[in-house]
Amino acid sequence: MMESVDKRWYVGYTWWITISAIAILAVRLIGLFVPAVGDNLHAWGIDITTVVLALITLLYRFTLYKKHTETLGLNFATLLLSMIQLTNAINMINITGWDNSWYILVLYTMFFFSGIVGIYPIIGGILLLSLYILISIPDINKTDGLTLQTVGTLAVGYLMCVISYFMWRNRYIDQESQKVSHLTGLLKSNQQQSEILIKSIADGVIVINTEGTISLMNPAAAKMVEWGIDEASEVAANKVVHLTKEDGKDITDEENPLSVVLKQQQQIDKTVQLIGRKDKKTIVSLVISPILLPKTNEFVGAVAVLRDVSEARKAEQQRADFISTASHEMRTPVAAIEGYLALALNEKVSKIDSAARSYLDKAHMSTQHLGQLFQDLLTSAKAEDGRLTSNPSVVELGTFVEQLTNDLRLVAEKKGLAMDFLTEAGNTVNATNGHVLQPLYYVYADADRLREVIINLFDNAVKYTEKGRISVGLTGDAKVAQCFIRDTGPGIPPEDLPHLFQKFYRVDNSATRTIGGTGLGLFICRKIVELYNGRIWVESQLGKGSSFYINLPRLTNEKAEQLQAAAANTVTAKPVNSDVAP
């Protein structure tokens, strides 16, 4: 693998050029006010051409140079800068004379370091010296055409070019190739072992470089995408790995995980549909991780792992279908039992003694719990297979959450708990002190579904908090609107936090054993929030309470007005049924 030039050489070389240009401009500026300096400017090789080239050097160094290092590579940007300075040095030598100009040392220095940006400046230096021989010394055949000093100057110039070539030839490498070389080196430090290891992995493995092209692919991945390994090498990953959403809908370029990981340089974990070259469709779990160099933390590419989960998805779908059907069918008899128990408990319908009433009350509560379980099972099944009904619209969370908090206040106060609505600045809003001025937090979601999530979190907070307060709050920034529900309950053990939003998971403690629950509420909340590209999580400390957070993408006021206007036009512009008589 070719060794690369350390970035410090480029930085030092460009700063040497920059300081030289600053010195030229400084001397020229001093000459405007100090006659002794101004009278000697030409003798020092500083004319209008020199000043203009020095200005171009500084303008390029502090503007376009930085942009070029990001797009064309550090070496190419340095090459452009050095060529400007090389032209300036030749001009200054021509003014002061080739036989005794001290600017020749500047030229030699540039020749010596020109190799860090490749062979081109070395060739350019040799050509410039040769051009000087042909143009500046036309009587070369005469005895006085070439002096010993001139010959020595040319010889040393050629020698510096040759030294530069041999010093840097095995170290020069352009920046993009350097990143690919690093990536290849990481993967093939022990080539034979790496190949055996990668080929033996059952999951598909694809390595892409910073340009988005495939550097390495194992046989499992080649089978999934239906491309040959050699055929896919150096081809754009988006072309080889054709991805759609799990339901078959197209993924935009901005959403494509292969593109997103190169921009954000963060791990991405998604379940998507992979369409092979021969239209074979596979549901895969896709995990793409950025590759960062250990010492410099420089991003050099990404590795994608594809796992075929088609069979697992089919099994999950069958389970979901069974749960959905069973829940739907069992809700009817359970509802009938609950209805009959309600009639039996109605004093106007039947008369029973106190002992029988206590038994019927317990049976009625159990039936209600069973009905809620079936409802949650049905909702969770719909959430998993995408059948969860949703009618999103523009919702202003400030008004929405505040109104919902006022509606739920009596439930908390009935248990002796205080309840607050907290704004962004931490101010408490209630009926006694009035409203405070707060920004508008617009989101695009189904208000009924959001209400379901907040009520579920609120009910949990009330059930598990014996004393203290429940706080519902709203905050956010330009991109995110955040709602939180905070309690002063017993808290959640750290080992339970990662599993809290899983299906049927419940914290095992004395409180959960005495308080009923299906273990599906938080799972449904997560699915609803994810339906609107949001995120839900919990932070908790034992003995200090828990805080549940909901993040939703925030709409700008302009975007919210556009969506509201579009919705209003859709409602008013109803199609006319021509079959109906006037």
Side-chain angles (χ1 to χ4, degrees):
M1 183 181 66
M2 187 178 291
E3 185 182 2
S4 63
V5 179
D6 194 287
K7 186 177 180 180
R8 288 174 294 182
W9 285 101
Y10 290 103
V11 174
Y13 185 44
T14 55
W15 271 113
W16 174 75
I17 293 175
T18 304
I19 292 172
S20 300
I22 293 174
I24 292 171
L25 293 176
V27 172
R28 183 68 181 88
L29 186 62
I30 293 172
L32 295 176
F33 303 99
V34 181
V37 176
D39 295 339
N40 290 288
L41 287 177
H42 188 78
W44 294 344
I46 301 177
D47 63 352
I48 187 63
T49 304
T50 304
V51 172
V52 170
L53 288 172
L55 281 172
I56 293 174
T57 299
L58 293 181
L59 288 174
Y60 175 69
R61 178 60 178 82
F62 294 111
T63 56
L64 297 177
Y65 179 81
K66 295 181 179 179
K67 295 181 180 179
H68 285 166
T69 58
E70 297 175 357
T71 57
L72 301 178
L74 181 61
N75 62 320
F76 187 78
T78 307
L79 172 61
L80 295 178
L81 185 63
S82 65
M83 293 308 292
I84 299 172
Q85 183 67 1
L86 190 63
T87 305
N88 204 354
I90 295 293
N91 178 69
M92 296 173 76
I93 294 173
N94 281 331
I95 295 173
T96 56
W98 280 83
D99 290 338
N100 55 6
S101 175
W102 68 272
Y103 293 119
I104 291 177
L105 295 176
V106 176
L107 190 65
Y108 288 166
T109 305
M110 295 194 67
F111 285 161
F112 181 76
F113 289 104
S114 60
I116 69 173
V117 290
I119 192 66
Y120 299 108
I122 297 174
I123 296 174
I126 294 174
L127 290 176
L128 281 172
L129 287 177
S130 302
L131 190 63
Y132 163 71
I133 295 173
L134 296 175
I135 297 175
S136 299
I137 313 177
D139 298 328
I140 193 169
N141 293 324
K142 294 183 179 181
T143 53
D144 59 347
L146 283 176
T147 64
L148 182 62
Q149 189 174 4
T150 303
V151 172
T153 301
L154 296 176
V156 174
Y158 283 124
L159 180 62
M160 297 307 296
C161 290
V162 172
I163 292 174
S164 178
Y165 171 73
F166 282 101
M167 180 175 179
W168 302 102
R169 64 173 181 169
N170 292 327
R171 294 173 60 84
Y172 166 75
I173 184 171
D174 66 84
Q175 300 303 303
E176 292 305 320
S177 297
Q178 179 179 339
K179 292 181 180 180
V180 175
S181 179
H182 276 306
L183 180 59
T184 306
L186 288 174
L187 296 172
K188 297 183 178 180
S189 57
N190 191 324
Q191 187 173 1
Q192 186 177 6
Q193 291 185 8
S194 298
E195 288 180 358
I196 294 174
L197 179 62
I198 293 175
K199 288 181 180 179
S200 63
I201 297 176
D203 295 335
V205 178
I206 298 176
V207 179
I208 58 178
N209 58 28
T210 54
E211 295 179 346
T213 59
I214 295 177
S215 299
L216 184 66
M217 182 168 65
N218 71 343
K223 184 178 180 180
M224 289 182 182
V225 300
E226 299 180 311
W227 279 66
I229 295 178
D230 295 336
E231 191 180 12
S233 180
E234 303 303 327
V235 179
N238 288 344
K239 182 178 179 181
V240 176
V241 186
H242 183 195
L243 301 175
T244 66
K245 294 181 180 179
E246 194 172 351
D247 57 4
K249 295 181 180 179
D250 292 335
I251 295 179
T252 62
D253 293 337
E254 292 77 14
E255 298 174 329
N256 194 312
L258 298 172
S259 302
V260 173
V261 73
L262 297 179
K263 296 178 182 178
Q264 299 181 356
Q265 299 178 15
Q266 295 179 348
Q267 180 174 303
I268 297 175
D269 187 351
K270 282 189 175 183
T271 300
V272 294
Q273 182 174 253
L274 173 65
I275 301 179
R277 197 176 189 182
K278 300 178 182 178
D279 292 331
K280 176 186 176 183
K281 297 180 180 179
T282 309
I283 303 298
V284 297
S285 173
L286 177 64
V287 179
I288 310 179
S289 303
I291 302 175
L292 304 174
L293 295 179
K295 294 182 180 179
T296 62
N297 210 35
E298 182 182 4
F299 176 72
V300 294
V303 57
V305 179
L306 300 90
R307 173 169 295 180
D308 187 348
V309 294
S310 300
E311 295 300 324
R313 274 291 187 267
K314 288 181 181 178
E316 289 179 5
Q317 185 61 45
Q318 290 175 350
R319 289 195 296 269
D321 290 341
F322 170 76
I323 292 173
S324 179
T325 303
S327 301
H328 184 75
E329 294 296 328
M330 286 189 287
R331 277 199 311 166
T332 302
V334 169
I337 295 172
E338 184 180 353
Y340 286 126
L341 288 173
L343 287 173
L345 291 170
N346 190 334
E347 295 180 354
K348 296 181 180 180
V349 177
S350 61
K351 293 183 179 180
I352 53 177
D353 57 32
S354 58
R357 178 173 294 278
S358 66
Y359 298 145
L360 290 176
D361 279 334
K362 292 178 181 179
H364 190 240
M365 291 176 59
S366 297
T367 306
Q368 288 179 323
H369 177 70
L370 188 60
Q372 184 61 47
L373 173 61
F374 290 146
Q375 180 61 44
D376 288 348
L377 284 170
L378 189 60
T379 304
S380 66
K382 290 180 178 180
E384 283 188 298
D385 58 19
R387 293 184 295 114
L388 197 64
T389 56
S390 174
N391 299 299
S393 61
V394 176
V395 179
E396 201 289 293
L397 278 185
T399 305
F400 177 80
V401 176
E402 183 180 2
Q403 182 60 50
L404 188 56
T405 303
N406 292 332
D407 295 340
L408 297 173
R409 190 181 303 277
L410 291 177
V411 178
E413 293 176 349
K414 185 177 180 181
K415 194 177 178 180
L417 302 173
M419 188 168 181
D420 299 324
F421 173 58
L422 304 178
T423 63
E424 183 178 15
N427 299 312
T428 303
V429 180
N430 53 41
T432 58
N433 61 15
H435 297 279
V436 297
L437 185 63
Q438 57 180 328
L440 298 174
Y441 290 100
Y442 290 108
V443 297
Y444 191 67
D446 189 327
D448 292 333
R449 291 297 180 191
L450 289 182
R451 185 179 292 106
E452 183 179 346
V453 171
I454 295 175
I455 290 177
N456 194 306
L457 298 177
F458 170 80
D459 286 342
N460 285 344
V462 172
K463 284 193 296 186
Y464 294 107
T465 303
E466 294 301 323
K467 60 181 179 178
R469 67 177 59 248
I470 308 295
S471 298
V472 180
L474 183 64
T475 183
D477 54 29
K479 296 182 178 180
V480 174
Q482 183 181 95
C483 176
F484 61 85
I485 293 89
R486 186 177 298 146
D487 63 56
T488 57
I492 303 169
E495 61 271 16
D496 290 311
L497 292 178
H499 312 286
L500 206 60
F501 295 94
Q502 295 176 0
K503 190 189 297 185
F504 298 115
Y505 189 87
R506 298 193 73 202
V507 178
D508 187 14
N509 56 31
S510 58
T512 57
R513 296 189 194 102
T514 57
I515 298 174
T518 64
L520 289 170
L522 293 179
F523 171 78
I524 295 172
C525 288
R526 176 171 67 87
K527 285 295 184 180
I528 292 175
V529 172
E530 290 176 350
L531 195 63
Y532 308 113
N533 299 316
R535 175 174 172 249
I536 183 172
W537 76 98
V538 60
E539 295 176 1
S540 182
Q541 288 185 338
L542 288 175
K544 294 185 178 181
S546 304
S547 297
F548 285 81
Y549 296 90
I550 303 168
N551 276 11
L552 292 172
R554 182 180 179 182
L555 301 176
T556 62
N557 293 351
E558 295 77 10
K559 184 64 175 178
E561 291 174 358
Q562 291 176 6
L563 291 173
Q564 288 173 332
N569 292 336
T570 303
V571 172
T572 55
K574 294 182 178 179
V576 178
N577 190 349
S578 58
D579 296 332
V580 180

